[in-house]
Amino acid sequence: MSIARKIASAFLGPIPVSRSRALGTSERLAAATALTSSLEYLSQRRQIRRGGFNDWSVARQAHVDSSPVTRKLLDLVSGERTTTALHLARVAVSTGMLLPGDSRLRGAGSLFLGATALALYPRHRYGTDGSDQVSTLVQTAMGAARLSRSPATQDALMWYVALQGNLSYVVAGWAKLLGTSWRDGTALGGIMRTRTYGHGPTYALTQKYPRAARYLTHGVLALECLFPVAYLAGGRLAKPVISAAAGFHLANGFVMGLGRFVSAFVAMHPAIAYTSAPKSHPLVAGRDDRVLKTAAVVFASAVSAAGAVAAHRRLRAMEGWPRSLRATTRHGNELQYEMNQGDPGLPVLVFATGMLSTSEHFGWITNRIREDGRFGFLTYARAGYAGSRYRSTAPYRLAEAVDDLVDLVGAAVPADRDVVLVGHSLGGELARRAAAELGGRVRAVVYLDSSHPGELNRSQQQSASAKPLGASLSLMVWSLRCGAGVLLARPGWLEALPVMFRKRVFDQYADARMWEAGHREWKAVEREFRAHAGDLAPVGSDALVVSAQRTVDKDPEHLLMHHEIADAHRGAGRTVETVVLEGADHDSLLTDGRYGVEVGRLLLDFLTRTAEPADTVERKEQTA
């Protein structure tokens, strides 16, 4: 054999490993993870005591919606003595699992480690970093394989672990690919400078050798995104792919302090090596690969079902309410809206939503206004949300959303009626800008925890969260386009909305169109807010500025900016009021019935003092 062939054989080709060898190696590596994990928890018992990082009296609040039986079991397992005893048992069992042997009792040991890891997970909610979950997956599968006498069942479980391993790498890689820092090669340096996972010397190297850091970053991306190539051409690339993955985890263990990740993820590699070797090799002869075909059929069926669910939800999200109307704006966008007329002699309230919010988010407030019966109101979906269609071909700017709002008022509200613009979050900023264009038609502007165009420059918290938000929105868009909306759980805030709105809101929440629109708006917000400088332009109308207490408590700079919004309205003969709603946060200000109804009351009281004719108010006071 030539030298070139010897070198190629050393670095290329499958990694033949027998079923028994793969099973034993995986269960030992998973046991090493369990041993390390339990020893770490035992050495840091102060974290599970009162006031610790995993204080059960605090952590158990995450399970208040669980059944009474589940809560009692969790309380039993999570007592300090029980937790300690379970970890001591795990240390003993995992130590035994590291010893030589292939007894079927080892299967019971693996299942014990997997079951106790699941039982203890709520107790150690913080600090696992995913390693315990991976080792639990391997332990339960390998434990069942060890106990089974059927080679076909053992192979099916081997394929299960191998497919899970491939999936974990591919999903991680494609999720990274959506992040700008991974595509431009700066992610490695960014991670190395963080406090949680950073490493000073490595960060210094990334700055000294930026080209090498970019190559390494892109190499990680390629490894994860293309991991399944290990199965091509009879496993010819299995050696370099699996070796690179093992090296990647070793590097993470040393540099990022994720030591348990090494044994946890590498525990999946024997199953990958076993399933990627060609069946012609003597060590894997007779391997049962039927589960791969079954998985392909199940995957295709799941994709078809997810597509059908997504299409059905989109149809429901776009159809609107029975009385929905439409208006076309100067940009060609078609807006879907709902109108309640109210008293023709009083202003119409026009509600503008925040980014990634639906018009139904105002449900508690509009219900309160409907019950009052005096004021008409209009709710609408911005272009790209719900049934509103985004048809503009120009580069998107916030001015387009402002123009759409102005055009909608002109088309939907009779010319002889004034309007009161009500905006939440970004909707508040759009309402402020629209008020300048609508001029004398605007009786008042109501800001509900409104955005301020200077917030990304003045709020450190807002500025720090800006870049990750863009990456998260991009990930959501692509995930939902791929049909992952079927996997979305109903968010907690959804259940706080009025019952009649919940289903429709979730249909919109699970629709990629809404996230695409939100991502488009966010890019414009970040670009334009970063460029903001100077004072706010004066607005010639009354104003009510409502701030959520938790928003301003978290960052007092927001309260200063909300006062600046109010000051922009001050002038002779104008009423300007500011309110901090105690207990509310940015979203619950609308979605929680307690706060939404209170906002409705504040709004109606304000309009009674400012928007109703003086003789009407006087008659009501005399009647009272």
Side-chain angles (χ1 to χ4, degrees):
M1 182 183 292
S2 66
I3 295 177
R5 285 190 175 183
K6 289 182 179 179
I7 294 175
S9 177
F11 290 98
L12 295 174
I15 306 177
V17 57
S18 67
R19 180 188 300 117
S20 176
R21 182 76 175 273
L23 178 57
T25 304
S26 286
E27 65 186 9
R28 286 179 174 84
L29 286 167
T33 305
L35 177 61
T36 305
S37 171
S38 286
L39 287 175
E40 285 182 3
Y41 289 132
L42 287 171
S43 67
Q44 299 174 9
R45 290 177 62 197
R46 65 184 183 279
Q47 298 296 348
I48 65 174
R49 294 171 182 160
R50 184 167 295 279
F53 198 51
N54 283 304
D55 181 349
W56 181 242
S57 65
V58 176
R60 72 190 306 271
Q61 300 304 314
H63 303 279
V64 293
D65 293 330
S66 301
S67 69
V69 174
T70 300
R71 292 200 302 272
K72 286 182 179 180
L73 288 174
L74 289 176
D75 286 335
L76 176 64
V77 171
S78 301
E80 185 177 344
R81 291 183 179 180
T82 307
T83 297
T84 302
L86 285 174
H87 279 304
L88 288 171
R90 283 168 57 81
V91 168
V93 172
S94 55
T95 300
M97 293 289 295
L98 295 175
L99 299 175
D102 59 359
S103 167
R104 292 184 71 216
L105 288 175
R106 298 176 66 86
S110 288
L111 290 177
F112 172 80
L113 294 176
T116 51
L118 287 172
L120 288 166
Y121 178 72
R123 185 67 168 99
H124 302 292
R125 189 177 181 187
Y126 301 106
T128 63
D129 287 323
S131 59
D132 288 0
Q133 292 91 323
V134 173
S135 64
T136 299
L137 182 150
V138 174
Q139 285 157 352
T140 52
M142 295 306 169
R146 178 69 76 179
L147 291 174
S148 175
R149 296 184 184 276
S150 167
T153 301
Q154 292 177 335
D155 286 344
L157 291 165
M158 284 288 186
W159 269 110
Y160 169 71
V161 173
L163 291 172
Q164 287 284 356
N166 278 269
L167 186 64
S168 66
Y169 287 114
V170 169
V171 170
W174 286 95
K176 288 185 178 72
L177 191 62
L178 297 176
T180 305
S181 61
W182 282 96
R183 294 198 302 272
D184 64 22
T186 61
L188 179 60
I191 295 170
M192 290 301 101
R193 68 179 299 183
T194 63
R195 180 175 298 178
T196 304
Y197 298 117
H199 187 255
T202 304
Y203 172 69
L205 288 174
T206 64
Q207 302 308 295
K208 186 176 182 180
Y209 304 104
R211 180 175 294 181
R214 284 198 298 273
Y215 289 153
L216 186 56
T217 302
H218 291 151
V220 170
L221 268 182
L223 169 66
E224 293 186 330
C225 291
L226 303 175
F227 191 88
V229 300
Y231 287 79
L232 299 180
R236 288 182 60 83
L237 294 176
K239 278 185 181 179
V241 169
I242 294 175
S243 298
F248 169 66
H249 293 302
L250 282 169
N252 284 348
F254 174 74
V255 175
M256 301 175 66
L258 298 174
R260 298 206 308 256
F261 264 55
V262 180
S263 55
F265 277 87
V266 174
M268 295 190 291
H269 291 177
I272 295 171
Y274 173 69
T275 55
S276 62
K279 291 184 70 173
S280 58
H281 197 283
L283 287 177
V284 297
R287 186 185 65 208
D288 191 328
D289 293 341
R290 285 178 295 175
V291 72
L292 182 61
K293 296 179 180 178
T294 302
V297 171
V298 170
F299 178 74
S301 301
V303 169
S304 300
V309 170
H312 185 55
R313 282 175 172 168
R314 174 163 294 183
L315 288 173
R316 288 200 310 239
M318 295 187 67
E319 70 176 348
W321 296 92
R323 298 178 64 183
S324 291
L325 301 170
R326 294 183 178 276
T328 302
T329 72
R330 73 189 79 171
H331 297 284
N333 297 325
E334 186 178 314
L335 303 185
Q336 183 184 78
Y337 69 96
E338 292 76 41
M339 181 79 169
N340 184 290
Q341 295 296 333
D343 186 338
L346 294 176
V348 175
L349 282 66
V350 180
F351 288 85
T353 64
M355 190 179 70
L356 289 171
S357 295
T358 74
S359 60
E360 290 80 11
H361 276 66
F362 291 111
W364 291 112
I365 301 174
T366 54
N367 281 351
R368 180 71 183 86
I369 295 169
R370 184 182 286 108
E371 290 171 2
D372 179 80
R374 290 176 292 165
F375 296 94
F377 60 87
L378 181 155
T379 58
Y380 77 105
R382 282 199 297 277
Y385 291 79
S388 295
R389 300 180 183 275
Y390 177 72
R391 292 200 169 103
S392 174
T393 57
Y396 184 79
R397 298 182 302 118
L398 293 182
E400 182 177 312
V402 175
D403 291 342
D404 284 355
L405 175 53
V406 171
D407 292 350
L408 177 62
V409 170
V413 181
D416 60 347
R417 294 186 71 175
D418 291 343
V419 295
V420 174
L421 302 179
V422 185
H424 171 248
S425 192
L426 176 61
E429 172 62 11
L430 299 179
R432 186 184 68 84
R433 298 187 187 189
E437 292 193 31
L438 290 168
R441 288 200 69 181
V442 178
R443 187 75 64 87
V445 182
V446 178
Y447 301 91
L448 304 178
D449 218 38
S450 176
S451 298
H452 183 291
E455 63 187 31
L456 295 185
N457 297 327
R458 294 171 55 178
S459 170
Q460 184 177 0
Q461 179 190 52
Q462 290 281 91
S463 181
S465 63
K467 193 169 184 179
L469 177 58
S472 297
L473 292 176
S474 180
L475 177 61
M476 280 296 297
V477 169
W478 283 102
S479 298
L480 292 173
R481 283 177 178 172
C482 293
V486 71
L487 302 176
L488 279 179
R490 292 170 70 91
W493 55 261
L494 183 73
E495 304 305 322
L497 290 172
V499 175
M500 69 185 76
F501 298 135
R502 294 174 189 172
K503 186 174 183 180
R504 188 176 298 275
V505 172
F506 186 66
D507 288 338
Q508 296 178 54
Y509 178 76
D511 185 7
R513 287 180 67 254
M514 187 180 90
W515 294 88
E516 290 168 5
H519 192 208
R520 178 172 62 245
E521 291 178 344
W522 171 246
K523 288 189 289 186
V525 165
E526 188 172 21
R527 182 177 60 252
E528 295 180 30
F529 280 22
R530 294 284 189 196
H532 174 78
D535 298 330
L536 299 180
V539 183
S541 69
D542 297 335
L544 171 64
V545 181
V546 180
S547 305
Q549 180 202 339
R550 294 188 183 180
T551 297
V552 298
D553 283 352
K554 190 180 296 183
D555 189 347
E557 187 66 29
H558 278 286
L559 185 60
L560 297 176
M561 289 187 285
H562 288 173
H563 280 296
E564 289 179 11
I565 292 173
D567 291 341
H569 286 263
R570 298 192 188 280
R574 298 178 201 151
T575 300
V576 178
E577 298 178 5
T578 59
V579 179
V580 176
L581 191 57
E582 185 176 352
D585 62 27
H586 186 68
D587 294 318
S588 67
L589 187 76
L590 302 186
T591 58
D592 191 311
R594 294 171 298 170
Y595 306 124
V597 170
E598 177 63 12
V599 170
R601 185 192 66 78
L602 291 170
L603 177 55
L604 288 170
D605 288 350
F606 175 76
L607 295 179
T608 297
R609 294 191 299 274
T610 61
E612 281 197 322
D615 58 339
T616 303
V617 176
E618 185 177 349
R619 284 198 305 272
K620 286 185 176 181
E621 291 176 348
Q622 291 174 352
T623 303

